[in-house]
Amino acid sequence: MDALRPGDPARIGGHRLLGRLGAGGMGVVYLGRTEAGALAAIKVILPEYAGDEDFRTRFRRETEAARQVDSPWAVPVTGADTESETPWLATEFVPGPTLSEVVARCGPLPTRSVHVLGRLLSRALTAVHGAGLVHRDVKPGNVLLTADGPRLIDFGIARAAEATALTATGLVVGTPGFLPPEQATGAGAGAGPEGDVFSLGCLLAYAATGRPPFGSGAVDALLYRTVHDEPDLAGVDDPALRALLGECLAKDPAARPAAADLDTRIAEDVPGDGASADWLPEDVARMIAERSAAMLALPDIEATVNTSATTPAPAPARRRFLALAAGGAVALGAGTFAAVQLIGDEPDGRSGASPAGRRWVIGVHADLTGAQKAAGRAQERGVRLAVDRFNSLTDKPFTLAVKVLDDGGDPARSVRVAEEFARDRDVLAVIGPTGDAATGAALPAYDEAVLPLLTVSSLQISYPARVNAAFFQASPSYAALSMPIVNRLLLRPDVERLGVLIDRSGGQAAYQAGYATNLMTPSLTTGTTHPRVVPAGTSDLGPVIADLLGHRSDALFYAGDAAGGARAARALAATPFKGPSMAQHTVMRPEFLERAGETAEGWEFIAPFTDAGGVSDEPGVPGAADFVTAHRKRFGAAPAAWSAEAYDVTGLVAQEVAALVGSATKGGAGPTGSPTATPSGGTSSGSTPSGDTPSAGTPSADGRPGRAALVAAIAASRYEGISRTYAFDEERQQLVGQEAHLYRAEGGRYRYLGPAPKPKS
């Protein structure tokens, strides 16, 4: 949940608004509270659509449809006004995560959980169909999980079973991957209750295996597979569940069971009144409990006040709310940050003032005291060396300084760090945060301030939606890293099946890496996979390894943490297996080598970071040798993982700031587009915009570029660093050119083998 923004209403229809739950192209969903204290999710239509009579008719129909459904397993409507100037719809607020969130974070659900899910959702659909409606968008994102069972939400495209859809002819209505063949062919107006049963089958298969039964990818291909191919139910080992899914996923609507029949055919007991979440795995139950705990603290919030963009700092109650919204019910005091340093980074300690007297700041948002402190410290050092390099220039138009704030890897603390950087107008851009959770928590504050944020080590496949697009993921995601993993393990004559071991001890990073590798294997190769997910804390991986080998796996990929990787290496060494074995880069820690001992020998790793020392003598890597020399001189050691990447993105920022300052000085004449030497030792194509516009952020009185202008410049840049070429796609501002690097455990250390090989075609 995000904080309210300037311009958001404080109240809607008797509800005091507390925050934003989400936003889309048509409206915003807020968390609100009635005078009686009840929480509600309130969908408010944007003004530009409220005046569209066709859209208002569809919204009126959604409200009417949702009011007709009476089931404890469907979220009820608590209020609505479809005729007001600002139409809105309120439903009971359920603090639980969506099924899609749970599977992405915790992996597939066990068989009993899937049975309970199927039985209760079939009851919800029975109520929907009994009201004469068809939901038409049953998918994991429209199912919330709570301790006592699931809740079906979002009747936005539901309609009467005999009604004509208010859409253009041939328009596919629903979500590809979870819609029935009769909707996939564009005959959406004719889809009936049987289509909801097919979608439920897709949803249950996803819950059981962690992947949609007809795959993913291009929409056209996905729709074709839905119509013509059999579902992929590999990994559904329970015979009864597999048979039931097969019937639900029948191509012929008449061959599918009715929703009411599913309730009687699924024999699994369901949670009773007041039951705990024992129908779900422990980590999922904990996730639900954390969400509920955060909501319990909400009644203590003071009256909602919309702050303007110029407000210097949130009030204490507001700050506490923001921390709770980030997912932790932790009381925040006026504590200080563990590491705050602002220095003029001249190598010899001089003041570092530029001829013009302008001195601006690069922020480092890092974990310096938590679980990822080694990576955080390496990134801090990379930033400092890039600033050293810039400040050593004799004709620099300004001087840079470094400000470092430590979040300790804690998401709540990460929010406070982001707020501190956002308030400091001298901060041009921020490098970081170090970890995934800290990055996700900090994004709203950076986005609201339009402060450029570049992370090199947060590798999530996706992040919360943002408005101002000030965030740049300057490293390959877990999904992108799966491609070189698959290429390395399966593009060889002796490997046909890849065993994928996903250890929940590794958290979301492990699941995303393992899931993406499993998903990409059939897309990139002719090989197959056998995936296994083990609960967090599993001490004996021997049976899991035996299962992988028993299913003819001739290569192994482990996704998890260092301790689990060591257990996997020891278990594998106890078998006759001689094939290739690989682990994700999160395993590459001293702990893996120490615990695995000799069994670590030969394990390989695909990593998003380079070994700067390993490439320093290679041709075509400008500045690498100088970087390594400078690092040894200043810090007394060779660069560690992530240092070169932080050095590169700092150089990218410095280059774009210098170009903007130069453009403003010359009266708006932008760069010519020819490559130029950069202040940090790389090269840039000079694709920076020619000048600021009011909407892009105007320079300050001292010539400092506006933050929005710098965001636009970074988005358009192309930069040749020592670790990779940096350029960002226009839509999501993720890294283009997903280079990765290969390492191997040899002789008790990690040896750099070079860039990860790519397929020849």
Side-chain angles (χ1 to χ4, degrees):
M1 182 170 60
D2 295 333
L4 293 175
R5 298 173 181 171
D8 280 339
R11 305 183 71 86
I12 285 286
H15 301 83
R16 180 159 61 82
L17 302 188
L18 306 176
R20 283 177 166 233
L21 294 173
M26 302 298 182
V28 180
V29 182
Y30 297 99
L31 175 65
R33 191 176 63 201
T34 67
E35 296 298 333
L39 295 175
I42 306 162
K43 178 186 291 187
V44 179
I45 301 305
L46 295 175
E48 54 264 41
Y49 295 102
D52 183 334
E53 191 54 40
D54 287 341
F55 187 88
R56 189 182 283 268
T57 299
R58 289 194 294 271
F59 185 66
R60 188 181 298 118
R61 185 194 60 200
E62 172 189 354
T63 303
E64 294 169 354
R67 285 187 184 277
Q68 295 177 59
V69 178
D70 182 16
S71 169
W73 314 116
V75 175
V77 173
T78 59
D81 188 344
T82 61
E83 308 307 322
S84 69
E85 183 178 351
T86 305
W88 58 273
L89 167 67
T91 61
E92 177 185 302
F93 176 71
V94 178
T98 64
L99 176 62
S100 56
E101 288 181 87
V102 165
V103 172
R105 179 171 167 181
C106 304
L109 298 179
T111 299
R112 183 189 175 225
S113 300
V114 178
H115 275 136
V116 172
L117 191 67
R119 189 169 193 183
L120 298 186
L121 289 179
S122 71
R123 293 180 181 179
L125 287 178
T126 298
V128 171
H129 301 159
L133 301 171
V134 183
H135 189 284
R136 299 203 303 166
D137 201 19
V138 178
K139 63 181 180 180
N142 279 342
V143 173
L144 300 173
L145 299 187
T146 72
D148 63 351
R151 300 290 190 278
L152 182 64
I153 64 171
D154 199 349
F155 293 82
I157 58 175
R159 62 175 178 84
E162 302 303 323
T164 300
L166 294 173
T167 56
T169 301
L171 178 65
V172 175
V173 179
T175 302
F178 296 93
L179 48 73
E182 56 268 33
Q183 280 179 249
T185 58
E194 302 87 354
D196 283 345
V197 172
F198 186 95
S199 298
L200 178 62
C202 293
L203 180 148
L204 296 177
Y206 172 83
T209 66
R211 62 184 185 276
F214 297 100
S216 60
V219 172
D220 289 348
L222 183 53
L223 296 179
Y224 180 89
R225 291 194 295 269
T226 301
V227 174
H228 299 285
D229 292 357
E230 291 302 310
D232 177 11
L233 299 178
V236 182
D237 297 326
D238 181 72
L241 178 59
R242 192 182 184 97
L244 189 67
L245 292 179
E247 291 183 45
C248 291
L249 296 174
K251 305 296 185 187
D252 181 3
R256 301 170 199 153
D261 294 336
L262 293 176
D263 181 19
T264 59
R265 290 183 54 182
I266 300 175
E268 188 64 58
D269 290 336
V270 299
D273 292 339
S276 65
D278 61 355
W279 68 284
L280 292 168
E282 182 180 347
D283 49 353
V284 177
R286 188 183 308 114
M287 187 177 177
I288 293 172
E290 289 171 355
R291 297 285 179 91
S292 299
M295 291 304 107
L296 288 175
L298 285 173
D300 294 331
I301 301 171
E302 299 300 326
T304 303
V305 177
N306 285 335
T307 57
S308 70
T310 58
T311 302
R318 181 66 164 169
R319 292 174 63 84
R320 181 167 181 265
F321 166 66
L322 291 173
L324 290 171
V330 182
L332 303 181
T336 58
F337 302 111
V340 182
Q341 300 181 46
L342 182 62
I343 64 170
D345 273 286
E346 287 288 350
D348 59 3
R350 295 191 300 271
S351 66
S354 67
R358 295 180 292 198
R359 185 170 178 270
W360 301 323
V361 178
I362 300 291
V364 180
H365 182 159
D367 176 1
L368 300 177
T369 53
Q372 293 181 279
K373 61 185 178 182
R377 184 64 67 188
Q379 291 174 29
E380 178 198 354
R381 290 178 171 183
V383 173
R384 292 192 183 281
L385 288 178
V387 168
D388 283 352
R389 177 90 180 200
F390 180 86
N391 288 341
S392 69
L393 299 175
T394 57
D395 57 348
K396 56 185 178 293
F398 53 87
T399 300
L400 289 177
V402 179
K403 179 176 181 177
V404 183
L405 297 181
D406 172 26
D407 64 20
D410 175 39
R413 191 167 166 184
S414 179
V415 174
R416 294 152 57 197
V417 167
E419 292 171 347
E420 167 66 19
F421 275 131
R423 287 193 297 268
D424 189 341
R425 299 305 302 172
D426 284 335
V427 176
L428 299 171
V430 176
I431 312 304
T434 311
D436 294 329
T439 300
L443 280 182
Y446 286 115
D447 187 61
E448 185 78 19
V450 201
L451 177 57
L453 178 70
L454 299 91
T455 182
V456 297
S457 56
S458 179
L459 312 182
Q460 294 262 93
I461 294 174
S462 63
Y463 295 87
R466 299 169 300 283
V467 174
N468 293 313
F471 172 61
F472 298 88
Q473 187 180 22
S475 195
S477 68
Y478 298 116
L481 289 174
S482 70
M483 288 183 274
I485 289 169
V486 171
N487 291 336
R488 179 68 175 177
L489 291 176
L490 282 155
L491 294 184
R492 55 177 81 193
D494 57 336
V495 174
E496 290 293 333
R497 182 183 288 259
L498 174 62
V500 180
L501 174 53
I502 303 172
D503 190 338
R504 287 181 175 172
S505 295
Q508 196 172 56
Y511 185 73
Q512 289 190 11
Y515 174 80
T517 299
N518 182 59
L519 189 67
M520 293 303 296
T521 294
S523 301
L524 298 174
T525 74
T526 58
T528 59
T529 63
H530 180 66
R532 283 294 304 270
V533 180
V534 298
T538 301
S539 58
D540 183 9
L541 294 180
V544 183
I545 295 293
D547 176 76
L548 292 173
L549 301 184
H551 282 80
R552 305 185 313 281
S553 298
D554 34 30
L556 176 69
F557 173 65
Y558 170 84
D561 59 6
R567 288 193 291 271
R570 292 196 303 269
L572 191 63
T575 73
F577 179 79
K578 300 299 180 183
S581 51
M582 178 175 284
Q584 71 178 128
H585 70 277
T586 55
V587 175
M588 281 182 62
R589 298 185 178 183
E591 183 181 5
F592 172 75
L593 298 176
E594 294 166 2
R595 295 193 178 190
E598 294 181 356
T599 66
E601 195 74 11
W603 275 69
E604 292 186 347
F605 309 85
I606 296 292
F609 48 77
T610 187
D611 180 335
V615 302
S616 61
D617 296 325
E618 294 183 12
V621 187
D626 291 342
F627 168 71
V628 173
T629 299
H631 196 286
R632 288 186 179 277
K633 180 178 179 181
R634 179 159 184 181
F635 302 112
W642 303 115
S643 186
E645 287 73 19
Y647 175 84
D648 281 346
V649 296
T650 306
L652 184 158
V653 170
Q655 173 64 30
E656 297 307 320
V657 173
L660 287 171
V661 171
S663 176
T665 301
K666 295 175 183 178
T672 63
S674 59
T676 58
T678 69
S680 64
T683 61
S684 171
S685 64
S687 55
T688 315
S690 60
D692 284 326
T693 64
S695 62
T698 56
S700 63
D702 63 352
R704 181 184 64 241
R707 287 176 171 177
L710 182 54
V711 167
I714 294 171
S717 67
R718 179 179 174 84
Y719 184 83
E720 298 291 341
I722 61 176
S723 57
R724 60 170 45 88
T725 299
Y726 290 86
F728 301 97
D729 67 64
E730 295 180 2
E731 181 179 355
R732 302 177 67 187
Q733 298 189 177
Q734 290 181 319
L735 186 70
V736 175
Q738 310 284 1
E739 293 88 352
H741 301 272
L742 182 63
Y743 295 80
R744 180 184 295 140
E746 290 183 0
R749 66 182 184 90
Y750 297 112
R751 186 167 77 86
Y752 179 59
L753 302 182
K758 299 178 180 179
K760 296 180 180 179
S761 59

